[in-house]
Structure formats: C-alpha cells, structure tokens
C-alpha cells in the first residue's frame, strides 16, 4: 500500500512500463495499454477516497460496443465533430477518429486517463484532443456528436449525465450511449439501435463477453 510521502509516479512513464499494449477484445483494429494482474496499478491510481478509480485502465463493455458500432458504421462520424464523455482509455474516441471524424475530443475527470489517451491515440495513429475536466454542468459544447460509454454505473452520476445529455440534445447535438444495461441506465428514455457481445472488464466482471447495446435518446434526429 502507498505510504504517506511516497512520490506519485509519472503517469506516462508508468503506463508505458506497466500496462502492456494489446488488441481490444472484439475490436482488433484498436490496441490499448491495458492493466493486468502484475501492473501494480494502485501505485499510480492511489488509494485515498478522493482518488478517481482507475476505470481508464480497462476496456468497459459500454465503450467497447460504441467503438465497434462506430467502426462498423463510419458514416455516423465522417466529417463530424465528436466528443467522448468519460473517455477512460480513449477507446471510443479512437474509434471515432479511425472512422473519419473531422475532430475528436476526449474528456475525463482523471488526469491519468488523459495520459493514457495520449499514449493510446499515438499507438493507433490518430489525433485526439484530451482534456481533464468535469463538463456535465457546463453549457453544451460546440460539437455534432456526443458519445457516452458506460457512465450509468452510479445513481447520482447517472442523473447528472442524463441532464447534460438532454441539454446537448436540445441544442442540436446527436447523442449515442453504449451500455451493457447497468443498473442505472434509464432505458425508458432510450431507444436501442444496435446490440453486440463484447468483453467487459467493468462492473466487477472478469472480462467475459456480455451483450451490450448502443442507444439514442428519444427525440434524437
């Protein structure tokens, strides 16, 4: 366990040294730095209550299903400005860039995620603007498409996210959500547009394949 006074590792150096690069299950077109049993991730992520959980170190099913969908249907993103909210590893942002988006921004509250996104974007040969920020109380950004992978695992966060998504939709932004139907996904407000079986390392699972859906908000054009 990290002791008081221990120096926080440089995230870029730590990720390069301890999280090997591997293809994403179900999405062999994309490779990511991914944590394994020997990664010692706690040394980077911290164990204080205020430290963000290292969700970025693993591909979650909601991001995986969105990435698969965008790669299979590139016309959804070609020439458009895309923002990946709660981007984690950058998987969905990378898929959008590979599919031909005009500009891609990845936003996450965890600075370690931003370091990982920069490395993962370089591995995959794409350009992504990555920002460490909480934007869900902000006005809608100037984008065309908002993609949201697996942000409905916590009830309070789910309510905040949906309020932001509705404001974005009202401003003319298309919204796509990827999720394996976690407990707090508001399915009554969503329309399913695709389903894929993808690996899931989130939600306490062991990485086995689960059915996950791509959803739009009711009222999306």
């Amino acid at each position: 366990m990290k002791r008081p006074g221990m120096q926080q590792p440089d995230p870029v150096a730590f990720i390069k040294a301890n999280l090997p690069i591997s293809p994403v299950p179900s999405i062999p077109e994309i490779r990511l730095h991914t944590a394994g049993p020997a990664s010692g991730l706690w040394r980077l992520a911290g164990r204080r209550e205020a430290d963000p959980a290292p969700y970025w170190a693993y591909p979650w099913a909601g991001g995986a299903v969105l990435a698969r969908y965008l790669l299979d249907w590139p016309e959804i993103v070609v020439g458009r400005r895309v923002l990946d909210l709660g981007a984690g590893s950058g998987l969905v942002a990378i898929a959008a860039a590979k599919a031909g988006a005009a500009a891609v921004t990845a936003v996450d509250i965890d600075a370690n995620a931003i370091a990982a996104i920069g490395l993962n974007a370089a591995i995959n040969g794409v350009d992504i603007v990555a920002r460490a920020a909480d934007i869900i109380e902000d006005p809608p950004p100037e984008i065309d498409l908002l993609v949201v992978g697996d942000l409905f695992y916590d009830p309070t966060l789910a309510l905040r996210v949906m309020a932001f998504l509705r404001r974005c939709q009202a401003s003319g932004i298309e919204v796509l959500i990827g999720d394996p139907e976690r407990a707090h996904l508001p399915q009554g407000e969503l329309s399913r547009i695709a389903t894929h079986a993808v690996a899931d390392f989130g939600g306490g699972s062991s990485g086995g394949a689960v059915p996950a859906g791509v959803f739009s908000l009711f009222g999306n054009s």
Side-chain angles (χ1 to χ4, degrees), residues 194-214:
T195 304
H196 294 281
V198 292
D200 183 27
F201 291 86
S205 66
S206 60
V210 300
V214 176

Side-chain angles (χ1 to χ4, degrees), residues 107 131 133-141 160 163-165 167-168:
V107 175
R131 294 175 50 210
D134 181 351
I135 67 168
I136 59 178
E137 304 297 338
D138 295 349
R160 293 181 66 216
F164 178 67
L165 301 189
R167 295 200 308 275
C168 288

